[in-house]
Amino acid sequence: MADTQNKEVDQISGVETTGHEWDGLKELNNPLPRWWLYLFYVTIVWAVIYWVLYPAWPLVNGYTHGILGSNQRQEAVAAYEKGIAEQSEFADKIVATALEDISKDQELLQFALASGQAAFGDNCSPCHGSGGTGAEGYPNLQDDTWIWGGTLDDIHTTLLHGIRSESEDTRFGDMPAFGSDELLSRDEINQVSNFVASRAGVETDDGVDLAAGQTLYEDNCAACHGDNLEGLQEVGAPSLMSANYLYGKTLDDIKRQVATPRNGVMPGWVDRLDPATVKSLTVYVHSFGGGQ
């Protein structure tokens, strides 16, 4: 309690003191504004009402359920099930519609693009980037360089079974390790790499026998990459004339890929995503503009 005998009016502020004093410091009597006190009392009353109406207090074996019996988890589950039910009509229609016909139904196309975008962000963007621009070792999905083909059917197959994945129907095309498996000597790797670089517009080493490199290419590489370095999508052999090299396009990058090739892996989604989502994802990836 305040010491009423020590109360006085502070000369500087003109406010009466409470009578408390600590080391020469006197406490001014500045009570809280009434509006603030009333608001505080209202919050207390509201809290009590809330405790009575809604789940609030934890107990040993549960919690107080409140008079209204409200349950936000049940409400969230109900909202989720309602959303799934609303989408099921479109999902079933996407499954039943051929890929090339989805774009003919604008409402169905919009649903497929929205669903595909969500699936892409959750499953594909960590490797291919949020906009599908890719990175070293991860193909750019916006350009027209497609190792396994960029048609709707090609993209759909790749999504279903992946590349070098665990799926039984995965697409599988490994490049031989001409260096580490001692299929070519170091000089031969240098020659064939310089030949490829010369055709692809990459600066080559001086004094390299490009004619010998061409012969080595024809004997070891043309069966997959083509006589004119145009590639062969049926076996997943990329075009070597493309501006986009998956693992870099310097001469050193080409030599490294010939000697110790890096063969990336893409998971198959046939057992991870439902058929409607895979088809929606196909339509969304094709919409990037690089498809065929």
Side-chain angles (χ1 to χ4, degrees), residues 162-278:
I163 308 297
R164 306 179 190 92
S165 73
E166 297 178 355
S167 172
E168 293 182 357
D169 297 316
T170 189
R171 286 176 153 166
F172 203 95
D174 278 351
M175 176 173 171
F178 290 99
S180 57
D181 289 345
E182 299 181 351
L183 300 176
L184 295 177
S185 67
R186 179 175 297 182
D187 287 342
E188 289 174 327
I189 291 174
N190 186 48
Q191 290 170 346
V192 72
S193 298
N194 272 272
F195 168 72
V196 171
S198 69
R199 293 291 304 276
V202 178
E203 185 176 355
T204 61
D205 292 330
D206 295 331
V208 177
D209 189 347
L210 296 181
Q214 180 175 1
T215 300
L216 288 166
Y217 176 87
E218 293 170 350
D219 292 342
N220 297 275
C221 313
C224 292
H225 291 284
D227 294 335
N228 297 314
L229 288 76
E230 71 277 11
L232 187 61
Q233 291 180 346
E234 287 79 0
V235 296
S239 169
L240 303 179
M241 297 297 290
S242 167
N244 305 300
Y245 270 45
L246 192 57
Y247 294 103
K249 200 177 180 180
T250 68
L251 180 59
D252 288 339
D253 291 329
I254 297 173
K255 291 179 180 179
R256 187 182 304 113
Q257 190 65 7
V258 172
T260 55
R262 289 159 286 180
N263 295 302
V265 175
M266 173 182 165
W269 300 99
V270 62
D271 296 324
R272 306 186 187 200
L273 299 175
D274 61 83
T277 300
V278 175

Side-chain angles (χ1 to χ4, degrees), residues 55-227:
W57 290 98
L59 302 175
V60 176
N61 295 319
Y63 58 92
T64 58
H65 293 273
I67 295 175
L68 298 180
S70 174
N71 188 311
Q72 289 183 333
R73 179 178 178 83
Q74 292 178 354
E75 294 174 1
V77 170
Y80 171 78
E81 292 176 347
K82 180 181 178 182
I84 293 298
E86 292 174 348
Q87 294 179 14
S88 62
E89 178 183 353
F90 287 100
D92 293 342
K93 194 172 182 180
I94 283 179
V95 172
T97 303
L99 282 167
E100 60 272 16
D101 292 334
I102 292 178
S103 61
K104 298 176 182 178
D105 185 330
Q106 284 302 310
E107 192 175 19
L108 191 62
L109 176 61
Q110 290 178 3
F111 178 84
L113 291 175
S115 177
Q117 183 178 16
F120 188 90
D122 291 340
N123 301 284
C124 312
S125 61
C127 293
H128 293 284
S130 59
T133 53
E136 183 174 334
Y138 303 100
N140 183 341
L141 304 178
Q142 292 192 9
D143 59 34
D144 58 359
T145 302
W146 291 79
I147 297 176
W148 292 95
T151 66
L152 283 168
D153 288 335
D154 289 331
I155 296 172
H156 188 243
T157 300
T158 300
L159 285 170
L160 283 174
H161 305 296
I163 308 297
R164 306 179 190 92
S165 73
E166 297 178 355
S167 172
E168 293 182 357
D169 297 316
T170 189
R171 286 176 153 166
F172 203 95
D174 278 351
M175 176 173 171
F178 290 99
S180 57
D181 289 345
E182 299 181 351
L183 300 176
L184 295 177
S185 67
R186 179 175 297 182
D187 287 342
E188 289 174 327
I189 291 174
N190 186 48
Q191 290 170 346
V192 72
S193 298
N194 272 272
F195 168 72
V196 171
S198 69
R199 293 291 304 276
V202 178
E203 185 176 355
T204 61
D205 292 330
D206 295 331
V208 177
D209 189 347
L210 296 181
Q214 180 175 1
T215 300
L216 288 166
Y217 176 87
E218 293 170 350
D219 292 342
N220 297 275
C221 313
C224 292
H225 291 284
D227 294 335

Side-chain angles (χ1 to χ4, degrees), residues 35-62:
W35 67 266
W36 194 98
L37 289 173
Y38 293 151
L39 183 60
F40 178 63
Y41 297 149
V42 168
T43 61
I44 295 176
V45 174
W46 169 252
V48 174
I49 295 174
Y50 191 93
W51 296 339
V52 174
L53 296 178
Y54 295 95
W57 290 98
L59 302 175
V60 176
N61 295 319

